[in-house]
């Protein structure tokens, strides 16, 4: 075939398919600067130290023959060297691992690609001042806290509409912000309510301020799960789709991130901090059912946000230190058989000390606080199961306790870190009978004593009272629990007896069907709900201090149990979720279409169980109260407010009376307006009727003439006067707590 016969054939598809990208050999070379200056007698030792560091930090085997170290006329090194790696990917890994690495006390290494050296050499010696950007003020991220009425906000996600609304005494009031198709999957508040996160196919977006302007966005394709650190500085995202490396300058990922599924971002800067591979169930499975079994959040943050840790089941706990998320101590904590762990929370004094440390106002000589975490290991061969408490970063074991015949364990810390409850599900030696023990660790006492409470029945739910010394336990001895049917349950409240130094049962409520516990964020009030049933939707409202003063006068020994009252029981048909507002004044029960609710919609209740609002909404998906940050008041200021609570109550009562009067006047005005509209419509109808009769040549109707004359002659003006004969206001207030 002659050459001219090829002219009509298009080879572009083959050229594109078999095209190879040119890779320069210089892309595999990096410049390492900041090394010690040594003579020829120590050059070999320095090169071996560099290769050892590369192997340890970057996991790359580098030979001394791959390193070129220039020297001056006297044979002294110049503090930098050229390292030739096998490929550009190794060069990137080497740079990331050793750039900024502290080689010793006086030398910190700096690594740059050789291809960028020329750009540094061609820098202009004349300094050009960058153009100053005009400062544009931004809205305050916590503007909602300045609401004069102290109202809270919540999210209502219905269909494709996402609405942020204010709530008050009458329920959901005006809309703060609303958008259509604001999120593609779901939405989530940050822990202190500063940011609203929306999930999209391309990644995550954060919104804030009074008008909810976009604050930042994070490009993680097909993200499905997110989590924030306690102080909102870091965002963790997970996608079932492995990360793909990209040469695009817009992509935050490099070849080193390829194949990972978890990414950690800096919320303030929007920069990628680090990526991680999956561990545990579903880590290497493409089956969606396996991926659903992943434990989330994958990283558990210490309460001071200094550490993030995750467990590799059966092997180790890996602790990473912020802000770089490098591994603490450069190695994981090897614990054979480790199954799960939890961080111990901080109390108010520790939070104040942390704020003082961050603000630079800490007292001189004050020691840094160590974090504590609890973990448990199951029985392995002849070794018993064990629960241990470890201090970090020292890794010292503070307390351990052996457990026998263990089926499962759950770790429950009290919100102030004063107590730890280990719920141990046990079985007899034959394995046929199961029972439960509560191992209660008193963490603030010397040697951390442990109290054991044996529960003969199956434990369905456990929850501590926030910042309190009580907990609620739901148990059942109903045989239907094995058959998957809704069993009869027993609700028991326990409290800590200061005189005896033990937890004692305060009061029990048998013959219940509730299976979930929801404490008010402020304590005292507890809501128990029946979820997961198609026939029962009971909600019990408990007040644990309703009659405390009267009970204390009648019987000092049993004042705690006698004060507990079941205030009311209501039914929330179609309920699938329960959410307390951050103030503890209101609670929402709602049915979401995501969980196949029989009747989607929501109801708002006050803490006494009185329904504030009910709404049946089709395609209702999500309701989330906006969290509040910790109070800025010191503990002494809070105690002062509690002592003077009655004075503040008078101000609020006056405002409530004024609001009620305004509501009454608005009601009268509305009724008057409706009556005027009705009369105007009647007059218009009469005029139209008379006009038709006139056109038809008929006489005006006598009854209409008489009615019109009567209206003109007997027009009355009614004045409504309301007089309050008697008014009685009962105020239910918490007992003053000095601590």
């Amino acid at each position: 075939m002659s050459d001219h016969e090829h002219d009509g054939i298009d080879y572009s598809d083959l050229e594109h398919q078999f095209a190879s990208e040119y890779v320069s050999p210089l892309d595999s070379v990096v410049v390492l600067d900041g090394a010690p200056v040594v003579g020829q007698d120590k050059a070999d030792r320095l090169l071996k130290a560099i290769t050892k560091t590369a192997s340890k930090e970057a996991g790359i085997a580098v030979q001394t023959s791959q390193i070129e170290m220039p020297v001056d006329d006297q044979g002294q090194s110049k503090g930098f060297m050229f390292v030739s790696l096998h490929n550009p990917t190794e060069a990137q890994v080497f740079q990331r691992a050793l750039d900024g690495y502290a080689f010793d006390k006086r030398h910190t290494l700096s690594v740059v690609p050789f291809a960028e050296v020329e750009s540094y050499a061609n820098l202009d010696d004349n300094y050009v001042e960058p153009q100053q950007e005009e400062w544009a003020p931004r809205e305050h991220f916590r503007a909602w806290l300045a609401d004069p009425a102290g109202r809270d906000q919540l999210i209502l996600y219905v269909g494709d509409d996402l609405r942020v609304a204010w709530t008050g005494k009458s329920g959901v009031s005006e809309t703060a912000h609303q958008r259509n198709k604001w999120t593609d999957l779901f939405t989530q508040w940050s822990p202190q309510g500063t940011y609203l996160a929306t999930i999209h196919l391309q990644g995550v977006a954060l919104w804030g301020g009074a008008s909810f302007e976009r604050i930042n966005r994070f490009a993680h394709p097909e993200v499905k799960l997110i989590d924030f650190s306690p102080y909102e500085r870091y965002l963790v995202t997970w996608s079932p789709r492995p990360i793909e490396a990209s040469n695009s300058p817009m992509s935050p990922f490099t070849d080193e991130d390829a194949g990972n599924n978890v990414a950690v971002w800096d919320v303030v800067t929007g920069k990628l901090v680090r990526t991680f591979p999956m561990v545990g169930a579903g880590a290497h499975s493409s089956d969606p059912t396996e991926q659903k079994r992943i434990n989330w959040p994958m990283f558990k943050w210490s309460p001071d946000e200094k550490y993030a840790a995750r467990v590799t089941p059966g092997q180790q706990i890996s602790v990473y230190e912020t802000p770089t998320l490098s591994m603490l101590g450069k190695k994981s904590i090897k614990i054979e058989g480790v199954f799960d762990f939890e961080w111990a929370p901080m109390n108010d004094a520790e939070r104040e000390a942390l704020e003082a440390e961050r603000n630079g106002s800490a007292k001189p000589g004050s020691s840094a606080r160590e974090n504590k975490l609890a973990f448990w290991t199951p029985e392995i061969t002849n070794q018993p199961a064990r629960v241990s408490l470890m201090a970090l970063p020292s890794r010292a074991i503070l307390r351990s306790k052996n457990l026998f015949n263990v089926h499962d364990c759950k770790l429950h810390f009290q919100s102030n870190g004063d107590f730890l409850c280990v719920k141990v599900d046990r079985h007899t030696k034959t394995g046929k009978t199961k029972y439960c023990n509560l191992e209660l660790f008193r963490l603030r006492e010397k040697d951390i004593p442990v109290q054991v409470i044996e529960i003969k029945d199956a434990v369905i739910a456990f929850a501590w009272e926030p910042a309190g010394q009580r907990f609620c336990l739901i148990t059942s001895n109903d045989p239907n629990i094995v058959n998957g049917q809704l069993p009869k349950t027993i609700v028991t409240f326990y409290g800590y007896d200061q005189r005896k130094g033990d937890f004692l049962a305060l009061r029990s409520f048998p013959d219940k069907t509730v299976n979930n516990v929801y404490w008010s964020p402020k304590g005292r009030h507890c809501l128990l709900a029946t979820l997961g049933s198609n026939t029962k939707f009971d909600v019990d409202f408990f007040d644990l201090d309703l009659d405390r003063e009267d009970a204390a006068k009648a019987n000092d020994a049993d004042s705690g149990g006698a004060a507990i009252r079941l205030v009311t029981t209501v039914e929330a048909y179609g309920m699938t979720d329960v959410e307390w507002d951050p103030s503890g004044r209101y609670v929402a029960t709602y049915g979401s279409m995501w969980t196949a609710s029989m009747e989607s919609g929501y109801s708002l209740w006050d803490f006494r169980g009185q329904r504030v609002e009910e709404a049946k909404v089709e395609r209702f998906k999500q309701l989330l109260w906006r969290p509040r940050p910790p109070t800025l008041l010191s503990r002494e200021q809070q105690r002062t407010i509690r002592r003077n609570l009655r004075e503040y109550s008078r101000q609020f009562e006056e405002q409530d009376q004024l609001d009620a009067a305004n509501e009454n006047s608005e009601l009268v005005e509305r009724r008057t307006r409706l009556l005027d509209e009705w009369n105007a419509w009647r007059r218009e109808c009469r005029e139209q009727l008379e006009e038709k009769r006139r056109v038809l040549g008929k006489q005006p109707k006598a009854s209409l003439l008489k009615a019109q004359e009567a209206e003109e002659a007997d027009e009355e003006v009614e004045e409504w006067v309301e007089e309050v004969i008697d008014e009685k206001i009962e105020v239910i207030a918490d007992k003053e707590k000095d601590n």
Side-chain angles (χ1 to χ4, degrees):
M1 185 180 291
S2 59
D3 292 339
H4 70 275
E5 292 178 342
H6 291 280
D7 295 340
I9 302 177
D10 184 9
Y11 293 99
S12 60
D13 56 339
L14 295 177
E15 292 174 354
H16 177 73
Q17 180 179 356
F18 295 101
S20 59
E21 183 180 356
Y22 173 72
V23 179
S24 172
L26 296 180
D27 292 341
S28 302
V29 181
V30 297
V31 180
L32 187 148
D33 196 7
V37 176
V38 297
Q40 293 183 354
D41 55 335
K42 296 183 179 180
D44 290 339
R45 290 178 56 189
L46 176 60
L47 294 178
K48 290 180 180 179
I50 294 294
T51 58
K52 184 178 180 180
T53 302
S55 176
K56 182 179 179 181
E57 299 297 327
I60 299 175
V62 180
Q63 305 297 326
T64 56
S65 59
Q66 296 175 245
I67 304 176
E68 181 70 26
M69 185 170 63
V71 295
D72 58 15
D73 297 337
Q74 286 75 31
Q76 294 283 329
S77 65
K78 296 184 177 181
F80 67 92
M81 56 192 71
F82 302 95
V83 184
S84 300
L85 286 307
H86 294 95
N87 52 61
T89 301
E90 272 196 6
Q92 291 180 357
V93 175
F94 186 92
Q95 179 188 0
R96 281 204 171 189
L98 271 68
D99 187 33
Y101 176 76
F103 188 69
D104 56 30
K105 293 182 179 180
R106 294 183 297 175
H107 298 88
T108 300
L109 303 181
S110 175
V111 182
V112 296
F114 182 81
E116 296 182 6
V117 173
E118 185 177 359
S119 63
Y120 297 142
N122 296 332
L123 287 176
D124 192 351
D125 294 336
N126 298 322
Y127 172 72
V128 178
E129 185 176 357
Q131 185 177 0
Q132 186 176 4
E133 296 182 4
E134 185 178 354
W135 179 77
R138 304 186 74 171
E139 296 176 337
H140 200 290
F141 289 170
R142 293 181 174 176
W144 92 97
L145 296 175
D147 180 62
R151 297 176 298 174
D152 283 298
Q153 289 184 344
L154 55 71
I155 279 177
L156 297 174
Y157 187 16
V158 182
D160 292 332
D161 290 330
L162 186 61
R163 178 162 68 112
V164 181
W166 292 99
T167 59
K169 296 179 181 179
S170 58
V172 177
S173 54
E174 71 265 24
T175 299
H177 198 78
Q178 184 174 5
R179 293 188 190 181
N180 183 261
K181 296 183 179 180
W182 198 355
T183 182
D184 295 336
L185 196 59
F186 64 93
T187 186
Q188 182 173 323
W189 292 108
S190 59
Q192 297 185 8
T194 307
Y195 307 106
L196 173 64
T198 55
I199 314 302
H200 307 272
L201 183 64
Q202 300 84 359
V204 181
L206 296 187
W207 313 79
S211 60
F212 286 91
E213 61 180 2
R214 190 173 66 191
I215 307 301
N216 229 326
R217 54 184 174 181
F218 309 90
H220 192 175
E222 300 183 22
V223 61
K224 293 294 187 292
L225 296 172
I226 66 171
D227 183 48
F228 286 90
S229 60
Y231 285 89
E232 307 176 332
R233 181 58 193 265
Y234 302 98
L235 172 68
V236 185
T237 59
W238 173 82
S239 172
R241 172 182 169 183
I243 294 173
E244 299 176 359
S246 174
N247 295 326
S248 171
M250 301 299 294
S251 175
F253 303 117
T254 63
D255 293 340
E256 185 182 354
D257 303 314
N260 293 341
N261 297 82
V262 183
V264 183
W265 311 81
D266 189 310
V267 170
V268 176
T269 64
K271 301 294 184 181
L272 176 67
V273 180
R274 187 175 173 181
T275 62
F276 295 88
M278 291 278 292
V279 295
H284 306 289
S285 175
S286 59
D287 186 0
T289 58
E290 288 291 326
Q291 292 177 354
K292 290 181 181 179
R293 294 171 53 194
I294 68 169
N295 294 323
W296 193 260
M298 184 170 294
F299 285 91
K300 297 179 181 180
W301 295 87
S302 63
D304 56 5
E305 209 178 61
K306 290 183 179 179
Y307 307 105
R310 67 173 179 174
V311 62
T312 303
Q315 300 179 25
Q316 62 192 18
I317 297 176
S318 302
V319 183
Y320 302 90
E321 191 172 9
T322 58
T324 60
L325 288 184
S326 57
M327 190 171 291
L328 179 66
K330 303 186 186 307
K331 60 181 179 180
S332 298
I333 305 172
K334 301 291 184 181
I335 305 172
E336 184 181 3
V338 62
F339 194 85
D340 195 13
F341 76 97
E342 293 290 343
W343 291 97
M346 296 186 296
N347 58 20
D348 291 339
E350 290 169 333
R351 292 189 191 96
E352 291 179 3
L354 177 63
E355 290 298 327
E357 178 184 342
R358 292 184 170 183
N359 299 334
S361 58
K363 296 180 180 179
S366 57
S367 58
R369 168 189 174 273
E370 278 205 316
N371 283 283
K372 296 187 288 289
L373 63 80
F375 62 90
W376 78 277
T377 57
E379 294 173 308
I380 303 174
T381 59
N382 295 327
Q383 297 181 2
R386 178 176 297 177
V387 175
S388 301
L389 193 69
M390 176 186 290
L392 286 174
S394 66
R395 305 193 183 194
I397 299 297
L398 305 177
R399 184 73 160 85
S400 290
K401 191 172 190 301
N402 292 336
L403 306 171
F404 299 91
N405 301 327
V406 175
H407 174 70
D408 190 18
C409 281
K410 296 295 181 184
L411 307 173
H412 301 275
F413 274 103
Q414 184 247 16
S415 61
N416 282 347
D418 297 335
F419 307 102
L420 166 65
C421 174
V422 182
K423 185 177 76 69
V424 185
D425 294 327
R426 291 181 168 175
H427 54 78
T428 57
K429 292 183 179 180
T430 60
K432 295 181 179 180
T433 305
K434 294 183 180 180
Y435 60 100
C436 180
N437 276 11
L438 301 181
E439 308 278 342
L440 298 164
F441 292 71
R442 300 197 291 273
L443 303 179
R444 304 293 180 185
E445 298 183 20
K446 185 179 179 181
D447 298 329
I448 311 181
V450 181
Q451 177 190 353
V452 180
I453 299 178
E454 184 173 337
I455 310 295
K456 296 181 180 180
D457 302 329
V459 174
I460 297 177
F462 173 96
W464 286 101
E465 178 187 18
Q469 297 182 336
R470 296 176 290 200
F471 62 84
C472 179
L473 193 68
I474 300 179
T475 60
S476 177
N477 55 10
D478 193 333
N480 287 330
I481 193 172
V482 182
N483 303 327
Q485 300 178 8
L486 187 66
K488 288 288 185 179
T489 57
I490 303 171
V491 176
T492 307
F493 291 95
Y494 287 79
Y496 184 67
D497 191 311
Q498 297 286 352
R499 293 172 296 181
K500 296 182 179 180
D502 283 330
F503 284 91
L504 304 176
L506 301 177
R507 191 172 180 183
S508 294
F509 296 84
D511 297 328
K512 294 290 181 181
T513 59
V514 293
N515 51 21
N516 284 269
V517 183
Y518 299 93
W519 283 95
S520 163
K522 301 301 181 182
R524 175 176 172 175
H525 300 283
C526 185
L527 182 150
L528 305 179
T530 305
L531 299 181
S533 172
N534 294 328
T535 57
K536 285 283 188 178
F537 303 94
D538 292 343
V539 181
D540 292 344
F541 287 84
F542 285 88
D543 189 337
L544 274 67
D545 293 329
L546 183 60
D547 301 323
R548 176 165 293 278
E549 293 183 1
D550 296 338
K553 294 177 182 178
N555 186 357
D556 292 337
D558 192 34
S559 60
I564 300 174
R565 288 286 185 272
L566 173 59
V567 179
T568 186
T569 298
V570 298
E571 184 182 43
Y573 184 74
M575 168 183 59
T576 60
D577 295 275
V578 178
E579 289 278 346
W580 276 96
D581 86 321
S583 69
R585 294 175 293 183
Y586 303 102
V587 62
T589 59
Y590 68 94
S592 172
M593 62 173 288
W594 286 340
T595 49
S597 172
M598 300 179 66
E599 188 172 76
S600 61
Y602 66 90
S603 293
L604 298 184
W605 316 78
D606 64 11
F607 62 91
R608 300 167 299 175
Q610 301 295 320
R611 193 192 300 269
V612 176
E613 181 186 3
E614 182 180 18
K616 305 301 180 184
V617 186
E618 293 185 1
R619 301 177 63 200
F620 188 85
K621 297 178 180 178
Q622 195 176 16
L623 183 150
L624 288 177
W625 293 95
R626 188 170 193 173
R628 286 176 173 263
T631 178
L632 299 178
L633 301 176
S634 65
R635 286 178 293 169
E636 182 59 35
Q637 290 173 323
Q638 295 179 50
R639 282 194 288 266
T640 302
I641 292 175
R642 291 193 188 99
R643 285 194 294 266
N644 302 325
L645 188 60
R646 294 188 180 277
E647 297 181 8
Y648 295 107
S649 298
R650 294 192 190 98
Q651 301 176 13
F652 294 118
E653 289 169 4
E654 293 174 359
Q655 184 64 39
D656 291 343
Q657 294 174 2
L658 181 61
D659 293 341
N662 291 336
E663 290 178 1
N664 291 335
S665 62
E666 291 175 0
L667 180 61
V668 172
E669 291 176 1
R670 180 173 177 272
R671 290 176 176 175
T672 304
R673 186 180 70 254
L674 293 175
L675 182 60
D676 292 341
E677 292 176 357
W678 165 256
N679 291 330
W681 178 78
R682 287 191 62 191
R683 284 194 296 270
E684 183 180 355
C685 290
R686 284 200 301 265
E687 292 173 357
Q688 292 176 357
L689 180 59
E690 289 302 316
E691 180 64 22
K692 289 182 179 179
R693 294 180 67 86
R694 187 183 63 78
V695 171
L696 296 174
K698 296 182 179 181
Q699 294 294 329
K701 199 170 183 179
S703 60
L704 294 178
L705 289 174
K706 291 181 180 179
Q708 185 176 1
E709 292 174 358
E711 285 184 1
E712 294 175 354
D714 301 330
E715 183 177 357
E716 294 183 1
V717 177
E718 294 186 0
E719 181 178 357
W720 293 60
V721 179
E722 294 187 2
E723 182 178 356
V724 179
I725 304 300
D726 187 18
E727 182 177 9
K728 183 179 180 182
I729 300 176
E730 294 184 3
V731 179
I732 301 175
D734 290 341
K735 182 182 177 182
E736 295 181 4
K737 299 180 181 179
D738 292 334
N739 296 319

